[in-house]
Each structure stands twice: as structure tokens, then as C-alpha cells.
Amino acid sequence: MTNQILSKMTNKNKRVIVVGGGLGGLAAAALLGRDGFSVSLYEKTHSLGGRAVCKRIAQHWLDSGFHSLRRADKGPAAIVLEKIGKPIELATKYSDGVVPKTYHNGRLANSPLSAGQLLFKYPLLSFIQKTHMMMLMQKIKKIPMDRLDYMTIAELLGAAKIHDNNIIAHIKQMIAIAYYCEPNLDRISAGELARYLSQWPYDVGFPKGGWKQIIDKLQEAILENDGEIKTGKEVKRVLISDNVGDMTKATGVVFQDGMKEGADAVILNTPLSVVPRLLHEHYLPEKLMKAIDGGVKTSGAVVMDVTVKKDKSLIRDKTDSVITLDPCIIFRLNSKYDPSIAPEGHDLLSAWIPIDSSKSKDKEYVDAKFKELEEAMHAIFANLDDSSTKIIRKMVFESAIGFYPSPAMTQPKRPSVIFPNVKNLYLVGDATDAAGIGGCSDIAFNSALECHRELSKPESNSLQPIIV
């Protein structure tokens, strides 16, 4: 008898409620369902995927922006999907030679993906500028991580006496490729940059069919293992047992309509700011409260999707992405290697530019950002004209990712997946202290893997079902 069959038999009567249908919640539910847990996932909106939701507009499948998978088919998203028997398909990945290009002052060059490429093959920086960048990277390696976590990148550049605008623009580009959605370097943690550089270079992949493929596969796995998914159903409160002589533990949830449902474990996949509405402050861990009080700063972006007639050759060779410098804008011809997301005879070009989220409702500011984006698009793709292109969506994100990695939200300061004061209560998502760089999907998937490991421990399986 295989371990998976034994696991399913052991977990058959164990009830788990997942609150929230973002990537972390879907991944945790799929993993637990595979192991025989009885899983119910409740999402208060009418769509799954959270900020990664994918929508069909004008016969195009449009991601909410576009998102890469770090480490491509070796990363945490791919690991989760492999575990549930639904391996991922990638349209492109860097290791296959599909690398982004950098555009600056009318010139295009392959973006450097390693120190060697930066030094010997990259033409948009002078040799002296490259040397200063390499010296900065070496300096970062020598500074203790706990010190870097308290510094911003702007402070780090000041200490290293880096004032060259071209170097700073390239550092912004590097961070934009890696993890960030915030244009001001005086807000971004130097510690998170160091964590990224410690893994540089690494592979990057784009999922075939966009994030829809991933969300659909997670949803299928939950349902195939007799799990339950309900959208438009809001959880109002988590039930906590404080029985004398018994450890405090989560025992179920209360819905908006007052109905209760019991469970052996509850997993929260909500924004951090929502957690205090679900639990009495007595049960809230200190790290979570500190993050809510001062650490979580949302990041913003404007996104534009354009349909283009296929006879316009926008991006040649193996490239599908172009990144500009100052301002930093990412363009991606999503349909070049994945024609399934656009109607026949058309391509899908998407563009993304980070903005100051505090100004996301300022029409004049936002309109200026869209203008910057359109001007850059026509400069790079000079053969575009009104007869061959049509804007099918313009979108403003107040929170393009859950937070940007400020010094107050580096990995050691983010709340744990495990609630220290409440047994069988877990937190998953991109704002936890699971492995990954701040605000990325890696953290969401790694938090789901960590939650799954905890619930699969023998002591977790010894619990008896709780009736409310």
C-alpha cells in the first residue's frame, strides 16, 4: 500500500476550512485534498485566484498584469502542481533562450541574466559603470543581512556612493524583473535585494495560458478529491476553543449569515489587514500586528493590454519581453509563444508600469503614467498605428501585489504560517515568512507547502473531528 493511500485513509475524516481563494489558499486546499483531508474553500468574491485572477475580454485571456514564475518548472508553483498530479506547461522560460531585452535611448540589448553577461556582453553600460555595479554587488554580500534588512536601497546606494542615473536605472530594472512594484527606491528593502542577488541568476518561466492554467488546475484538483469550493460566501469569524485543560485551537468558522461550520483546522488566505476582523486581538501574534500597524505598504501599477494584427512583427527572434529604463516599463508580447490567449490573426501586447499607490486615485497622475506607457510603446514598436492596434483594457491597481518589500516587511519580520497562540490555525499567502522575496507568488506557494507539511504531521492527524 503506497504512502499516499495510507495518508488518504488516515486523513479521511479530518475537516479543513480554507478562508480565501487566492493562490496560497487554492494550493493548500489542493495539497490537502490529495492527501485525503475533507476540504472546503470559501471565497467572498465571485472569482478565484486573488490578484492573479485571469479574465476573458474581447476574446483574449488577460492576466491581472502578467506574472513570471521564478525558477520556472523547478519553482514552488511547479512543485505544488507536480505533487497534485497536474504538472505545469510553460510557454517560455529563460533557460530556453527566451530572455527579455532592455530598451534605452533607441537601443535594444539582451538583458543581462548573470554577472558574466553584464560584464562582457551588455552594451548599454560603460565598462566603468559595469565595474561600479559589480563592486556594489560584492559590497552587498559583505554586509550582514540583519543590517541590510533595516536599510532601503536608496540608503545602500548612498553608502556605496552610487549616484550615476544610468546605474540606478539598471538597478531599478533588475528589481522590477525580480520582485518589486514600487518606483521609489527609498521605500524598498536592501535586504530583499540581497536575497534576490544570492540566487542570481535563476530561471524564469511564463505559464502557458497565463495564470488561468494554474488556477484551473488547482481548482480541478480540489474538486477531483471531493473538496468543496464556494464563491460569494464570506467568513465573518474564526471559532476558537478555550476549554480548560486544553490548548487553544481553531474549531471552525462563522459565516456572514450567522451559520457555523466546524473543522479540525482553519487556513486563512486573506490580506493581513482582514485577519483582526476574524479573530479576537488576544489570539493575534505580535509579528502580524506589527506588520499591519506599520509594515504592510501596498504597491500600485497601471496596466494596458493592446490587441495587434499579426502582420505587425513586434518582437523578433526568441524575445517576448522588453523592459525600458527610466521610467521602468515592462512590455510583453504574451501571445508570441502562446497563441491560445488571443483570437486568430491577432497578438496580445501587455504593458505594466509601477506607480505610487497613494496616488492611484489621482486622475491627472494616472493619466500621465498611461501617457508615458503609450509613448514608450510607440517608440519601441515604431510600426504600430491606429489601424493595426486597439486598446482592449486599461487598468489601475491600487495593490498590484499584496505589499512592497519595505524594511518593515522583510522575511524575518513577516508573520509565520503557524499561529503561535492557536493550534490548527494557519496563514498562507505572499505576506507570510515562507521562503521567497517580498510580495511574490513564490511565498504564496511555499506557505501552502509549509502549511501542508504541518497538517500532515502525526500529531495533527491525531485530532478528532469537532462538532459545532
Side-chain angles (χ1 to χ4, degrees):
M1 190 176 289
T2 66
N3 289 337
Q4 188 170 345
I5 293 173
L6 281 170
S7 178
K8 282 194 172 186
M9 291 175 62
T10 304
N11 299 325
K12 186 176 180 182
N13 295 318
K14 306 302 181 293
R15 289 272 302 138
V16 178
I17 290 176
V18 180
V19 182
L23 294 175
L26 289 167
L31 289 165
L32 292 166
R34 180 209 64 162
D35 284 355
F37 287 87
S38 176
V39 179
S40 294
L41 183 148
Y42 299 109
E43 165 59 45
K44 72 175 183 178
T45 70
H46 291 280
S47 59
L48 298 171
R51 287 179 301 277
V53 67
C54 186
K55 296 182 179 180
R56 188 170 178 82
I57 299 176
Q59 296 182 285
H60 296 75
W61 282 108
L62 305 181
D63 283 331
S64 299
F66 42 89
H67 309 276
S68 61
L69 290 174
R70 290 173 185 80
R71 299 179 61 206
D73 51 357
K74 304 292 190 299
I79 290 170
V80 168
L81 291 164
E82 189 73 39
K83 281 181 176 291
I84 62 175
K86 295 185 178 292
I88 195 170
E89 295 179 74
L90 295 176
T92 64
K93 57 180 180 175
Y94 287 179
S95 56
D96 289 337
V98 187
V99 300
K101 286 193 182 293
T102 297
Y103 175 87
H104 188 52
N105 291 336
R107 299 176 68 192
L108 276 172
N110 285 337
S111 300
L113 301 177
S114 69
Q117 289 178 15
L118 174 65
L119 277 174
F120 303 113
K121 295 184 177 181
Y122 186 65
L124 302 184
L125 285 168
S126 69
F127 181 76
I128 292 176
Q129 289 171 330
K130 294 175 186 179
T131 302
H132 286 163
M133 276 196 75
M134 295 303 298
M135 289 173 63
L136 175 64
M137 292 180 192
Q138 291 302 315
K139 181 180 180 67
I140 290 172
K141 290 179 181 180
K142 295 178 181 178
I143 301 175
M145 188 62 75
D146 57 354
R147 185 178 161 201
L148 286 169
D149 277 340
Y150 281 94
M151 297 175 69
T152 65
I153 293 175
E155 289 170 339
L156 175 67
L157 295 177
K161 298 182 180 179
I162 301 288
H163 305 295
D164 186 302
N165 288 334
N166 198 17
I167 295 176
I168 293 171
H170 277 81
I171 291 169
K172 281 189 175 184
Q173 184 216 47
M174 177 185 288
I175 299 166
I177 295 173
Y179 61 88
Y180 98 123
C181 193
E182 164 57 46
N184 299 316
L185 294 185
D186 58 358
R187 298 179 179 179
I188 305 292
S189 162
E192 294 295 86
L193 174 60
R195 289 182 179 89
Y196 164 68
L197 289 173
S198 69
Q199 301 172 33
W200 188 60
Y202 59 83
D203 203 1
V204 169
F206 290 91
K208 188 174 183 179
W211 282 94
K212 184 178 186 300
Q213 178 203 178
I214 297 174
I215 295 165
D216 285 352
K217 286 187 173 186
L218 293 172
Q219 184 176 1
E220 287 168 10
I222 296 167
L223 297 176
E224 287 170 5
N225 287 297
D226 300 321
E228 178 183 39
I229 298 174
K230 288 190 177 181
T231 58
K233 194 167 180 68
E234 184 175 358
V235 170
K236 186 74 172 176
R237 185 163 53 89
V238 176
L239 293 169
I240 304 293
S241 169
D242 275 320
N243 296 328
V244 176
D246 196 6
M247 183 175 180
T248 302
K249 57 188 176 185
T251 60
V253 298
V254 181
F255 297 104
Q256 185 74 26
D257 59 9
M259 297 295 291
K260 297 179 181 179
E261 185 173 322
D264 297 295
V266 176
I267 299 171
L268 303 180
N269 181 213
T270 67
L272 295 188
S273 59
V274 173
V275 178
R277 304 178 205 168
L278 303 174
L279 295 168
H280 189 279
E281 63 180 11
H282 172 71
Y283 304 116
L284 299 173
E286 185 179 355
K287 275 189 179 181
L288 188 144
M289 292 309 299
K290 283 185 176 180
I292 293 171
D293 290 342
V296 180
K297 306 293 184 183
T298 57
S299 57
V302 297
V303 176
M304 186 168 70
D305 301 286
V306 180
T307 185
V308 184
K309 289 183 180 178
K310 262 200 183 297
D311 59 357
K312 297 291 180 179
S313 181
L314 293 183
I315 301 177
R316 298 175 179 85
D317 62 49
K318 284 189 173 183
T319 307
D320 59 13
S321 302
V322 177
I323 305 170
T324 68
L325 297 173
D326 197 24
C328 182
I329 305 173
I330 301 179
F331 293 92
R332 186 158 197 275
L333 192 63
N334 298 315
S335 58
K336 181 172 182 178
Y337 294 94
D338 185 8
S340 67
I341 63 176
E344 188 174 350
H346 290 79
D347 274 318
L348 174 63
L349 176 66
S350 296
W352 167 94
I353 181 172
I355 65 170
D356 184 338
S357 60
S358 68
K359 297 180 180 179
S360 60
K361 295 186 185 300
D362 183 332
K363 186 177 185 305
E364 185 176 345
Y365 172 80
V366 168
D367 286 347
K369 290 298 177 183
F370 274 119
K371 185 177 179 181
E372 279 184 30
L373 196 155
E374 290 191 53
E375 287 175 350
M377 180 176 71
H378 286 287
I380 297 169
F381 311 112
N383 57 342
L384 289 184
D385 54 52
D386 292 340
S387 64
S388 63
T389 64
K390 181 182 179 181
I391 297 173
I392 54 177
R393 181 176 68 171
K394 292 173 80 171
M395 185 167 52
V396 181
F397 274 125
E398 290 180 60
S399 180
I401 58 175
F403 65 96
Y404 61 78
S406 68
M409 278 299 282
T410 52
Q411 185 176 1
K413 298 175 186 177
R414 298 195 289 266
S416 172
V417 171
I418 304 165
F419 273 72
N421 302 328
V422 183
K423 189 175 178 62
N424 295 329
L425 182 62
Y426 304 89
L427 179 69
V428 297
D430 60 8
T432 67
D433 67 356
I437 300 168
C440 71
S441 64
D442 286 9
I443 303 176
F445 285 105
N446 278 323
S447 68
L449 288 164
E450 187 176 332
C451 180
H452 170 252
R453 284 192 296 270
E454 287 297 320
L455 274 167
S456 299
K457 288 180 178 178
E459 56 266 31
S460 297
N461 289 332
S462 66
L463 295 173
Q464 296 299 313
I466 294 168
I467 308 299
V468 176

